[in-house]
Amino acid sequence: MSDNVYRVTEIYGTSQEGVDQAIRNGISRASQTLRNLDWFEITQVRGQIENGRIEHYQVGLKIGFRLDDEG
C-alpha cells in the first residue's frame, strides 16, 4: 500500500430535484476540475422555500482527493 497525501475542499451542490441530485451535481462539477476524487462527506443540508414549498436544495460537501505523486 502506498502512502498517499490528501487534500480536502468544500463545495455546495444544488438541485431543484432533491438532496441526492444536489450531491451528484456537486461531485460531477468538482470532477471536471479536480483529479483523484476519493470520498465525500455531507456537512450541511439546507434549502430554499417559496410559497410554503421547497424550491431548491443545497448540500454542503467536503470532497477528498489524492495529491499527485511527486516525480
Side-chain angles (χ1 to χ4, degrees), residues 14-28:
T14 64
S15 173
Q16 289 182 315
E17 297 172 26
V19 170
D20 183 67
Q21 192 58 49
I23 294 167
R24 293 176 188 281
N25 290 347
I27 291 172
S28 176

Side-chain angles (χ1 to χ4, degrees), residues 5-9 11 23-40 61-68:
V5 175
Y6 292 86
R7 181 165 183 127
V8 177
T9 191
I11 65 168
I23 294 167
R24 293 176 188 281
N25 290 347
I27 291 172
S28 176
R29 179 60 182 91
S31 71
Q32 293 176 20
T33 55
L34 300 172
R35 295 186 306 275
N36 306 320
L37 299 181
D38 275 350
W39 57 268
F40 71 93
L61 302 164
K62 286 185 180 178
I63 299 199
F65 56 97
R66 273 178 284 107
L67 297 179
D68 290 334

Side-chain angles (χ1 to χ4, degrees), residues 2 6 9 26-27 35 42 45-46 53-54 64-65 67 69:
S2 63
Y6 292 86
T9 191
I27 291 172
R35 295 186 306 275
I42 297 170
V45 176
R46 60 183 176 210
R53 298 178 62 113
I54 298 172
F65 56 97
L67 297 179
D69 291 334

